[in-house]
Amino acid sequence: MTWSRSKAPVGRRAKVSKGALVALEKAQGNPNFATPVRLADTLGISVSALLEGPAEGRVRVVSADTVMPLWAGEEGGEARLVLTTSGPAPVEVWRWKLEPGEECPSHPHRTGVVETVGVTAGRMVLVVDGAEHPVGAGQTATFDGDVPHTYRGSGTGTCHLIMTVHIPPAPGTTV
């Protein structure tokens, strides 16, 4: 990939230090959840494209317990990026578990990214651009991901949810 002189380095645009990038390239260290998300957003690709490499075969079956969590909360919650569809407008599929009161904030994604969260058990509060939206078992919410947002477990039990992240094609790509 060639970068023009007018563009800042990827690390600077993603707000990731040069040292953190070097550690990631060497598979050293333990980056926080936001680091791969910021890098993928900056590059206009999915998080799994950044982490996995090319998909193999026409059908891929993935068990959530075979995928390492990309976020782990202090109370036992976690987020696992289960898979990403291929093509110019990929969709990431995540499995989340949030304990009551546990939260995970997310920085704004690039324009055009849409997130959908479907709660399969328990309750959560989705905070989008400062506004709180309760979402309970059997409910689904969707929002434009280009604003600050937070996922927070609520109620008395564990919240389980499936999240999809719809990533628009990179500029100049045809679908």
Side-chain angles (χ1 to χ4, degrees), residues 92-115:
E92 297 175 349
V93 179
W94 293 76
R95 286 188 173 270
W96 282 74
K97 178 175 79 168
L98 292 167
E99 297 301 328
E102 191 170 50
E103 64 179 42
C104 180
S106 179
H107 76 287
H109 301 291
R110 67 185 171 106
T111 301
V113 171
V114 175
E115 292 193 19

Side-chain angles (χ1 to χ4, degrees), residues 48-49 51-62 83-87:
S48 64
L51 301 176
E52 290 178 357
E56 298 177 16
R58 294 185 69 137
V59 176
R60 188 169 37 142
V61 178
V62 179
L83 64 84
T84 301
T85 62
S86 59

Side-chain angles (χ1 to χ4, degrees), residues 21-170:
L21 285 175
V22 169
L24 284 171
E25 288 176 353
K26 293 181 178 181
Q28 297 174 340
N30 188 16
N32 68 30
F33 178 64
T35 300
V37 173
R38 283 197 308 263
L39 285 170
D41 280 348
T42 300
L43 294 170
I45 62 174
S46 67
V47 174
S48 64
L50 185 67
L51 301 176
E52 290 178 357
E56 298 177 16
R58 294 185 69 137
V59 176
R60 188 169 37 142
V61 178
V62 179
S63 177
D65 60 348
T66 64
V67 180
M68 295 297 299
L70 289 179
W71 172 80
E74 293 181 11
E75 303 297 322
E78 62 184 26
R80 295 173 188 256
L81 175 57
V82 180
L83 64 84
T84 301
T85 62
S86 59
V91 176
E92 297 175 349
V93 179
W94 293 76
R95 286 188 173 270
W96 282 74
K97 178 175 79 168
L98 292 167
E99 297 301 328
E102 191 170 50
E103 64 179 42
C104 180
S106 179
H107 76 287
H109 301 291
R110 67 185 171 106
T111 301
V113 171
V114 175
E115 292 193 19
T116 302
V117 290
V119 176
T120 59
R123 295 178 10 188
M124 70 171 289
V125 174
L126 173 63
V127 183
V128 178
D129 206 17
E132 294 188 359
H133 306 274
V135 185
Q139 293 183 313
T140 302
T142 188
F143 63 97
D144 294 333
D146 61 352
V147 295
H149 49 283
T150 299
Y151 316 99
R152 181 185 318 131
S154 66
T156 58
T158 302
C159 175
H160 293 271
L161 62 104
I162 302 293
M163 177 177 78
T164 59
V165 180
H166 303 260
I167 302 165

